[in-house]
Amino acid sequence: MAVREPVSRRERPAKPALSRAGIVAAAVAVLRAEGLEKVTMRRLARELDTGPASLYVYVANTDELHAAVLDELLGEVDLAPAAGDWRDRLVRVLVSYTTTLFAHPALARAALVSRPAGEHYLRLLEALLALLDEGGVPPAQAAWGVDVLLLVGTASAAEHATRAESGDPEREWDAVAAALRGVSGETHPHLRALAGPLLGGRPEERMTWSFRMLINGIAGTALPGNEEPS
Amino acid sequence: MAVREPVSRRERPAKPALSRAGIVAAAVAVLRAEGLEKVTMRRLARELDTGPASLYVYVANTDELHAAVLDELLGEVDLAPAAGDWRDRLVRVLVSYTTTLFAHPALARAALVSRPAGEHYLRLLEALLALLDEGGVPPAQAAWGVDVLLLVGTASAAEHATRAESGDPEREWDAVAAALRGVSGETHPHLRALAGPLLGGRPEERMTWSFRMLINGIAGTALPGNEEPS
DNA sequence: ACCTGAACACCGTTCAAGT
DNA sequence: ACCTGAACACCGTTCAAGT
């Protein structure tokens, strides 16, 4: 007969029942502490003191888990910036979205694989459409445009993964910088002439310009076979 | 003393010496036959009849290998479509780029991680800049714009991974479609009103509109602190 | 120099069995 | 229904040792 243990030295933290919310919360914690690469089924199972198979009751697969983590993070996006006209505020929301993702480029990549559809993502979509509506952008253009706006934000964040992770942003920057400088003016005259602006500009400036340019394009380009959109 | 073997039943295909080109060629073959998920160091080593460690003499890591494979594929992009004004031809080149990546969404995702800088990629950049120049787009805008054009193409292809892989594109489409239809008109009036256009439209139409809209935005939006760009 | 086998430290997902 | 250990079939990368 085994001796019954004294309840414990310190009261043992009762292992909480598994739940989707609990799993996602643990995933967010691991994300913040160690990055998305560590947010794996096996690691989370260890974290939650169970076997990996148990998680599959609540989460379909790793991609779905990552999507849930992303939506959680989107709660931080500022959807209602104070000052400015509709364009300024729209740019600010988009910059806030992109900045949030910049902190976790791997998560931005995950967003490209399995499109988020959570509560926070829907709120973001609604906010963007409201601002485009306020600016008088024809609804059909707004609907298609909002997709591209978020795509650019997401992809920009996804891209800057390597830059952020592999140190030394000044000297090396990228293979593309080296390639651009080594290019021949005879075969690639435009590349040679524009190497400066292609590589230059502060990231925030480029990002802001990109969003302004997109808004102008969206507002000013009618849908095909829909010349008079109203 | 071991008996010398007769040369062989069939002449044994001499195991070719390893080389970067050979590794990339094998990678492209595996990509076409089985998809990027199978383009792994271990698999390629098996394919080339050696151990995985041997490949690291020629290729820094898996990401670099994937970038090399991508550049190979970019050789298929049509850089000089025949008819149309500069906008039409520009859209065609971009559609050709995006279509090429559509066949391998996983590769598009890889392109977002480690930016390609190979021969074919540089040629593509040059072609795009030449067309923007032909259209009289101010060079600085063209330089920043070309980045966004390719980003949208790449990201669009990366996104359509799931759609392509997980079958049933009509009924399920995405969690986002379901979420959009289930949304309340009180909290999300714009989403509710625009559910149709948000989800609708033929992919080619949306893609073409996106590129036209981008070109308009790029051509019509000056750089910050550069009101008179000439 | 180039090549290699073996090892280290992991993965996602499924299964049959338990409670 | 929910939970689990063990198993299957893999990964990337590095090491010390060989040629």
Side-chain angles (χ1 to χ4, degrees), chain B residues 98-117:
Chain B
T98 308
T99 307
T100 301
L101 287 186
F102 252 71
H104 303 284
L107 206 48
R109 286 197 300 271
L112 288 171
V113 181
S114 67
R115 227 79 179 299

Side-chain angles (χ1 to χ4, degrees), chain B residues 15 18 42 50-51 53-54 58:
Chain B
K15 179 179 155 188
L18 284 178
R42 291 181 104 106
T50 181
S54 306
Y58 303 97

Side-chain angles (χ1 to χ4, degrees), chain B residues 198-217:
Chain B
L198 277 167
L199 298 169
R202 300 212 324 281
E204 318 87 84
E205 271 177 354
R206 290 183 77 128
M207 184 160 61
T208 303
W209 178 81
S210 297
F211 287 132
R212 292 207 166 275
M213 166 277 269
L214 278 161
I215 295 167
N216 290 341

